[in-house]
Structures are given as structure tokens and as C-alpha cells.
Amino acid sequence: RYFQTDIAVNNIMALFPSLYRFLSHSFRYEGVKRVKDALRPAKHALFGKNGIYQAVDVVKTLERGQGRECTTIFDIGAAVGDTALTFLREFPRANVYAIEPLPESFECLVRRTARFGGRIHPSRIAFGDREGEQDFHVADYPDSSSLLSHERGFSRAARGAKTVRVSVRRLDDFVQERGIPWIDFMKIDVEGAELELLQGAEKTL
């Protein structure tokens, strides 16, 4: 039921791009986020859970079956912290490593998650298959920005979108430097750059 409804909403948005842009920009505001959070239980009751909320339930079930809890979670492509906040609330013993390269989004992420103190570990980097700096392509809606350009298949970034230079790390090196023995749960949302990320994470995986 949820997916049928979601597809219908996406089709409506495709017909009314100005409405899509308005709603996308409105989701940046904290007041709108609070309304979404308040309505989410009703949405889940009506349509079922999807996406990250469904994944959280699956992981909790697996962890209970093994008699343990999640202690290390990676939120890669953390944007302004919506998913990181979900992880921090749903897994009260977990350390969450929130990875976000876009400066404006990173600042918002740090501000919104600060109350969780030492359990949140934000890093303003991107993960890829090599160390260094790279152009990061910034879409009109920042949560849809990517290391990939429009020409390389990043369809949601407009041609001529602005770019910023970001630090790129290999996940394998990041984990080794911090002495992280394992990752219980990893969410990846990097708008098309998943292959490069995974190629830099072979040892960890």
C-alpha cells in the first residue's frame, strides 16, 4: 500500500515541478521536520513502514535473535541529520558516525545532533575509492547533491550546478585510523557514487 501511494505522489510531483521544488525546500525547516515527525506514526500505521524505518526494524529483529545490540552505525550521506537522529533514538547504545561533505548540511547536522554528545561522530568528508579532494556537485535541493556530475549519470543535478571542493577518504582508512572493529549497520545515500564508496570499503566489508 505504501509503495503504491509513494509512486502516485512521485507522479504528481513530476507533473508539477514547481510544487516539488516548494515542498523540497520546505523540508529544510525545523518546524516542518517536527510536523513530519509528529505525523510519521500515523503514516506508518496507515501505509506500513518503508525505507530506513523498515530497515531499523529488521536490524533490531536480527540483533535480538543474536542476543546483542547495535553499537556502531554509519550514516553515509547524512545530509542534515534526519536519519542520524533516527539511529540515535532507536539504538540508545550505539555510536553513530555521520558522514556529510556539504558544508551547509554538515553545520546543520552538527547542530541538530549535538545533544547526543559523545554518541555522535560527524565528519565533513565524502567516501570514495581514493584519498584526496574532489568536486562535489550541489543540486538545487542539497540532499540530492553528489560526487557524480550530471554527465556521469547524476540525473537530479542540473547542468551547470555549482561545485565545491570536498575531502574524499577511503572508508577502509577511516575505520582503521579510528580503531573501529566492525560496523553493525550502514546506511548509504550518496546519489549515484555508491560503487566508488564500496570500492574503498572492500577490507571493511
Side-chain angles (χ1 to χ4, degrees):
R1 288 177 299 167
Y2 176 84
F3 291 111
Q4 290 175 338
T5 304
D6 202 35
I7 290 169
V9 170
N10 286 339
N11 288 338
I12 292 171
M13 293 304 181
L15 292 172
F16 301 99
S18 58
L19 175 62
Y20 174 80
R21 283 193 297 272
F22 169 77
L23 290 175
S24 294
H25 285 284
S26 72
F27 291 154
R28 300 178 187 178
Y29 299 109
E30 194 61 32
V32 176
K33 291 179 183 296
R34 288 184 186 137
V35 171
K36 285 180 65 181
D37 286 343
L39 294 175
R40 187 168 290 116
K43 176 184 172 184
H44 289 167
L46 287 170
F47 304 117
K49 293 183 179 180
N50 76 305
I52 199 64
Y53 305 101
Q54 187 177 39
V56 164
D57 282 354
V58 169
V59 170
K60 283 183 172 181
T61 300
L62 291 172
E63 294 293 291
R64 281 196 298 269
Q66 297 176 10
R68 60 190 301 270
E69 294 182 62
C70 272
T71 58
T72 306
I73 298 175
F74 271 56
D75 180 4
I76 304 173
V80 296
D82 290 342
T83 304
L85 287 168
T86 296
F87 290 149
L88 290 161
R89 293 173 187 137
E90 295 289 336
F91 300 99
R93 294 187 58 197
N95 284 292
V96 176
Y97 294 82
I99 311 301
E100 173 54 46
L102 192 61
E104 296 87 348
S105 296
F106 181 78
E107 290 173 8
C108 186
L109 161 71
V110 170
R111 185 173 64 252
R112 296 180 71 212
T113 59
R115 67 182 183 274
F116 290 92
R119 291 180 53 221
I120 181 72
H121 307 274
S123 293
R124 189 162 70 84
I125 58 173
F127 282 142
D129 58 358
R130 62 180 65 88
E131 302 277 316
E133 289 193 346
Q134 193 171 328
D135 283 340
F136 191 75
H137 302 271
V138 183
D140 287 340
Y141 183 42
D143 290 2
S144 298
S145 301
S146 176
L147 282 173
L148 294 189
S149 66
H150 179 92
E151 290 74 17
R152 291 182 60 199
F154 179 45
S155 60
R156 294 179 72 181
R159 292 183 184 276
K162 72 173 184 176
T163 60
V164 296
R165 295 293 285 180
V166 300
S167 175
V168 180
R169 304 292 316 280
R170 295 173 69 251
L171 188 147
D172 281 341
D173 297 330
F174 182 92
V175 165
Q176 184 177 17
E177 289 170 4
R178 285 159 178 75
I180 299 169
W182 66 80
I183 301 173
D184 293 306
F185 188 179
M186 183 189 300
K187 165 251 174 183
I188 302 172
D189 183 3
V190 293
E191 298 293 337
E194 288 81 5
L195 178 59
E196 290 84 350
L197 186 157
L198 294 173
Q199 288 171 335
E202 290 182 13
K203 188 180 298 184
T204 302
L205 297 176

